[in-house]
């Protein structure tokens, strides 16, 4: 299994555990589909409401990329919508994550394109073209660089630095194996989560 599929199967919680309970970006909710997505980040930074570079990022993206837009949350003006999602979907982009506002949520849901956002607003911003594409962005104290692996699901967003992918993937497999043992223990009726952790010697070590 390749690491992208592995991270999507695992989800953000297990990836966070595998990174030593690494920090996550919280408060971004799925606008459309509620499934885990993972892929290399294509970063975008724009002022609140300035959507020009947000949509231009699709032209810079490769199939499988996750577009990560830092648009700020101070002004409720959408920088992403249904047509942008259609454009990204046709290009093969995996998902769009917006630290900011989006609109056309019903269109996005019908399209089935994964979008995670801080909030929604029917009001579009103004396309001034300020900002950058492909430069590092920092959201909630977490720096994301182009090519870092982003894992997003309804729990939140976790960022795996590209130089740590192999290490984190190996640890994700270990955590998933431990969780399977715990599930089997509970489902067998032998005991509870607490007793499973105690018998497996995992109290204080989980994750």
């Amino acid at each position: 299994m390749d690491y992208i599929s592995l991270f999507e199967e695992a989800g953000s919680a297990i990836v966070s555990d595998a990174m030593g309970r690494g920090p996550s970006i919280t408060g971004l909710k799925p606008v459309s589909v509620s499934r885990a997505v993972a892929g290399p980040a294509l970063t975008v930074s724009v002022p609140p409401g300035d959507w020009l570079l947000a949509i231009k990022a699709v032209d810079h993206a490769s199939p499988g990329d996750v577009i990560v837009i830092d648009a700020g949350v101070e002004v409720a003006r959408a920088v992403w919508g249904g047509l942008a999602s259609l454009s990204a979907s046709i290009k093969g982009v995996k998902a769009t994550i917006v630290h900011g506002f989006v609109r056309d949520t019903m269109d996005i849901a019908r399209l089935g394109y994964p979008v995670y956002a801080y909030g929604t607003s029917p009001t579009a911003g103004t396309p001034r073209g300020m900002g950058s594409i492909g430069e590092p962005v920092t959201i909630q104290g977490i720096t994301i660089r182009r090519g870092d692996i982003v894992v997003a699901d309804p729990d939140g967003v976790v960022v795996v630095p590209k130089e740590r992918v192999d290490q984190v993937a190996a640890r994700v497999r270990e955590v998933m194996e431990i969780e399977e043992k715990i599930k089997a223990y509970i489902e067998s009726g032998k005991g509870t989560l607490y007793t499973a952790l105690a018998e497996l010697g995992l109290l204080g070590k989980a994750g």
Side-chain angles (χ1 to χ4, degrees):
M1 179 186 296
D2 68 271
Y3 62 83
I4 295 296
S5 298
L6 176 69
F7 291 161
E8 289 181 337
E9 179 184 346
S12 66
I14 287 179
V15 175
S16 174
D17 287 351
M19 295 177 67
R21 299 187 180 91
S24 61
I25 299 170
T26 58
L28 304 185
K29 300 301 181 183
V31 172
S32 49
V33 296
S34 295
R35 67 171 184 266
V37 295
L42 173 59
T43 52
V44 184
S45 176
V46 296
D50 187 346
W51 51 262
L52 186 59
L53 292 189
I55 67 167
K56 187 177 181 182
V58 175
D59 296 82
H60 293 255
S62 299
D65 280 352
V66 174
I67 295 176
V68 179
I69 304 168
D70 181 15
V73 298
E74 298 83 5
V75 179
R77 295 290 187 270
V79 298
W80 191 266
L83 294 176
S85 296
L86 175 62
S87 178
S89 177
I90 290 174
K91 184 72 180 287
V93 176
K94 181 71 71 72
T96 299
I97 296 169
V98 184
H99 183 240
F101 294 84
V102 303
R103 68 177 193 170
D104 305 325
T105 56
M106 292 187 290
D107 291 339
I108 295 171
R110 281 191 289 267
L111 181 63
Y113 177 76
V115 173
Y116 291 81
Y118 176 85
T120 60
S121 171
T123 307
T126 302
R128 295 188 175 91
M130 299 174 65
S132 64
I133 298 174
E135 296 299 318
V137 299
T138 301
I139 301 172
Q140 296 179 11
I142 298 175
T143 298
I144 308 168
R145 302 163 300 169
R146 184 168 189 170
D148 287 343
I149 305 303
V150 179
V151 184
D153 61 23
D155 286 347
V157 178
V158 175
V159 181
V160 181
K162 49 192 170 184
E163 65 272 13
R164 291 189 59 195
V165 166
D166 290 341
Q167 171 196 357
V168 173
R171 180 58 182 152
V172 164
R173 293 186 181 94
E174 294 175 358
V175 174
M176 291 175 72
E177 289 176 4
I178 291 169
E179 291 216 344
E180 285 303 314
K181 290 180 181 178
I182 295 171
K183 287 179 185 177
Y185 179 97
I186 295 170
E187 290 171 349
S188 72
K190 292 180 180 178
T192 63
L193 172 59
Y194 179 86
T195 58
L197 292 173
E199 289 199 18
L200 292 170
L202 296 173
L203 282 177
K205 299 179 181 179

